[in-house]
Amino acid sequence: MRFFHLAVMALTVLSRPALAQEISTFKLENGMEIVVIEDHRAPVVVHMVWYRAGAADEKPGVSGVAHFLEHLLFKATDTLKSGELSDTVAANGGSDNAFTSWDYTAYFQRVAADRLDLMMTMESDRMRNLRLTEEDIATERDVIIEERNTRTENSPDALFGEQRRAALYLNHAYGIPVIGWKHEMEKLDLPEVLAFYKQFYAPNNAILVVAGDVQPDEVLAMAKAHYGPLAPTVDLPKRARPTEPPQLAERRMAYEDPRISDPYVIRTYLAPERNSGDQKKAAALVMLAQLLGGDANTSYLGRKLQFETQTAVYTSAFYSGKSLDATTFGLVIVPSHDVSLADAEKALDDTVVAFIKDGVDLEQLARIKMQLRASTIYEADDVQSLARRYGSALTSGLTIKDVQDWPDVLQAVTPEEIIDAAALLLDKKRAVTGWLSAPKKEGASQ
């Protein structure tokens, strides 16, 4: 039956019509890069501007300024009132938003294709012509602090995650939360915001991604008219970040919070990212995460720990390789109610060792490869997902060719490469192991 389902999935994917998406690239004289992804199946366009500037590019002491600026970019410009950009998008039947990561900040609008020129008019205006006041700073600073209170301060899982990440990265800014440390967020001021804005929000630090029902030459003409006149940042520095020193000691932490009802063990390892021209290690780690903990019913951890021994009620493995610098690989186990965290951790470690000894299940590997190929095809049905795929890659040090090669790199991963990648999980010196639980009751053992 398993082979039957694999065959059905293969036929389903292979029978889908080929998506005629042509990709064109340009570069304006001021240094702005342009990527146009044609998809003429619907009269819709996604207009995205990606800046090679995120939380990891902040100066020490001003954590959260990249995310703060993301909020402030919806304020007034030379020609727009505060909030007018989003109101205009909505009035034209579209949607817009923005997001910040460690490696990038991005802004997008999804509208009817004939509204693209209007989107460029507004987006290009706020790239260089933002007009902030002290009142804007005070008001929006309260907003981001409340956002941190809601998402982080009120969540033991989020607080625990911040502590683990800070312990994992000894020297790199990836150890600092994107939203910022609260005590530094409270002091963010107008000069700090403007310094970040003037340096990084420039055409020579931006990538314009336009996906949908468009013609490349028309997009280029609009971009030249709206973005072309903008002045670049002179002597824009390269993204030189502190690197991690050799990690020589295992790190462990225990975090207790009375709100925790399901204690768990999580271990995160420093792991290699996807590198331009050499994505094989990252691809092997993707497969490793899927084989170990991708699905409770079929993954190695799920079968062994949730079903065979019933040591756990939940297991997982995760990895995201799209990162400018070293990323993370993680393992999670939520033990059954009568299993201690110490026993759960030992069971997790023993099962990882058993996986390496047993080797890769070829049938499971074939299933995962087919699922990943299918997800890549289905994702291409959404122009916004497609635009995000390229924008996030280009701002993380990859190229268009890397993005296009990635599905084939995944398909070419061998069982031997996966087991070689799994050796990472035996080196706890490159990891942080965390226990999250409620405070122990008197007389109880952990």
Side-chain angles (χ1 to χ4, degrees):
M1 288 297 293
R2 290 180 182 176
F3 284 111
F4 172 76
H5 290 308
L6 281 173
V8 170
M9 186 183 295
L11 288 173
T12 301
V13 173
L14 294 176
S15 64
R16 289 177 62 83
L19 302 178
Q21 288 152 343
E22 297 292 333
I23 298 179
S24 305
T25 61
F26 309 97
K27 191 170 186 176
L28 301 182
E29 290 184 4
N30 59 12
M32 187 173 191
E33 297 178 28
I34 302 171
V35 177
V36 181
I37 306 168
E38 294 180 67
D39 188 329
H40 301 288
R41 292 172 297 165
V44 175
V45 66
V46 173
H47 172 262
M48 306 187 83
V49 171
W50 296 74
Y51 294 97
R52 290 187 174 93
D57 299 296
E58 298 165 342
K59 293 181 179 179
V62 294
S63 64
V65 71
H67 172 255
F68 190 22
L69 180 57
E70 176 211 312
H71 279 241
L72 291 166
L73 222 70
F74 292 87
K75 301 298 183 181
T77 70
D78 282 349
T79 61
L80 296 169
K81 297 177 183 178
S82 182
E84 185 178 351
L85 186 148
S86 293
D87 290 344
T88 302
V89 173
N92 281 272
S95 60
D96 75 312
N97 214 326
F99 46 88
T100 306
S101 182
W102 283 279
D103 292 324
Y104 52 74
T105 309
Y107 302 82
F108 71 89
Q109 302 88 34
R110 184 186 181 108
V111 293
D114 62 359
R115 301 297 192 273
L116 178 59
D117 189 79
L118 176 60
M119 298 304 106
M120 286 199 190
T121 299
M122 296 188 294
E123 192 66 73
S124 62
D125 186 32
R126 66 176 173 176
M127 180 180 285
R128 278 309 211 186
N129 301 318
L130 191 62
R131 295 294 175 258
L132 298 176
T133 66
E134 291 289 354
E135 183 180 355
D136 292 331
I137 296 296
T139 302
E140 208 62 35
R141 187 170 52 211
D142 288 343
V143 171
I144 62 169
I145 289 173
E146 181 55 33
E147 182 180 337
R148 181 181 167 86
N149 288 337
T150 301
R151 297 184 179 182
T152 306
E153 303 294 338
N154 293 332
S155 169
D157 290 278
L159 289 170
F160 182 43
E162 277 191 348
Q163 296 294 307
R164 292 196 325 273
R165 193 172 184 96
L168 181 62
Y169 287 96
L170 301 177
N171 195 44
H172 197 286
Y174 284 167
I176 299 173
V178 170
I179 199 167
W181 297 117
K182 187 173 183 178
H183 69 286
E184 293 184 346
M185 294 168 64
E186 292 171 338
K187 298 178 181 179
L188 291 173
D189 59 21
L190 182 56
E192 290 165 344
V193 170
L194 291 179
F196 194 89
Y197 174 69
K198 291 176 181 177
Q199 178 176 358
F200 293 116
Y201 279 55
N204 54 328
N205 198 45
I207 302 169
L208 171 64
V209 181
V210 177
D213 188 20
V214 294
Q215 297 295 335
D217 57 342
E218 294 177 0
V219 173
L220 178 59
M222 290 183 203
K224 285 181 176 178
H226 296 298
Y227 293 104
L230 301 180
T233 293
V234 178
D235 298 325
L236 183 71
K238 292 184 178 180
R239 302 178 85 178
R241 294 167 168 179
T243 55
E244 282 296 299
Q247 299 197 345
L248 306 177
E250 177 184 1
R251 282 139 290 165
R252 304 184 62 85
M253 62 174 57
Y255 187 83
E256 294 183 345
D257 190 291
R259 294 169 291 181
I260 296 299
S261 57
D262 297 309
Y264 61 85
V265 178
I266 180 170
R267 182 181 298 128
T268 48
Y269 300 79
L270 197 67
E273 74 281 7
R274 283 170 62 183
N275 287 312
S276 182
D278 182 14
Q279 304 180 88
K280 293 178 66 175
K281 286 184 180 179
L285 288 169
V286 169
M287 295 299 180
L288 175 63
Q290 290 295 314
L291 287 164
L292 272 177
D295 181 275
N297 295 308
T298 58
S299 67
Y300 197 89
L301 294 177
R303 295 199 316 271
K304 297 293 184 181
L305 297 175
Q306 293 178 236
F307 296 103
E308 292 183 14
T309 65
Q310 297 185 356
T311 303
V313 295
Y314 174 79
T315 57
S316 179
F318 57 89
Y319 169 77
S320 177
K322 198 180 288 182
S323 175
L324 188 62
D325 300 312
T327 185
T328 60
F329 188 103
L331 300 171
V332 181
I333 179 169
V334 180
S336 300
H337 74 277
D338 57 344
V339 177
S340 69
L341 292 181
D343 288 341
E345 182 182 341
K346 184 178 186 305
L348 180 67
D349 287 340
D350 291 345
T351 306
V352 169
V353 171
F355 170 82
I356 294 173
K357 180 180 178 181
D358 291 346
V360 172
D361 183 320
L362 298 182
E363 182 181 334
Q364 294 294 343
L365 179 59
R367 177 187 60 81
I368 290 167
K369 285 185 175 182
M370 184 56 65
Q371 286 181 335
L372 290 173
R373 183 176 289 279
S375 67
T376 299
I377 293 174
Y378 296 142
E379 184 186 67
D381 282 340
D382 182 357
V383 290
Q384 187 165 317
S385 296
L386 199 60
R388 186 160 183 163
R389 181 195 301 177
Y390 281 91
S392 60
L394 294 173
T395 48
S396 300
L398 300 173
T399 66
I400 288 177
K401 186 176 187 304
D402 293 325
V403 177
Q404 295 173 334
D405 289 346
W406 180 239
D408 290 336
V409 175
L410 288 171
Q411 295 300 313
V413 172
T414 67
E416 293 77 18
E417 289 170 338
I418 295 170
I419 296 302
D420 286 345
L424 166 75
L425 308 183
L426 302 179
D427 184 5
K428 293 183 182 179
K429 293 179 181 178
R430 294 175 59 84
V432 175
T433 303
W435 290 10
L436 179 65
S437 64
K440 292 183 290 185
K441 297 178 181 179
E442 283 191 31
S445 58
Q446 187 69 305

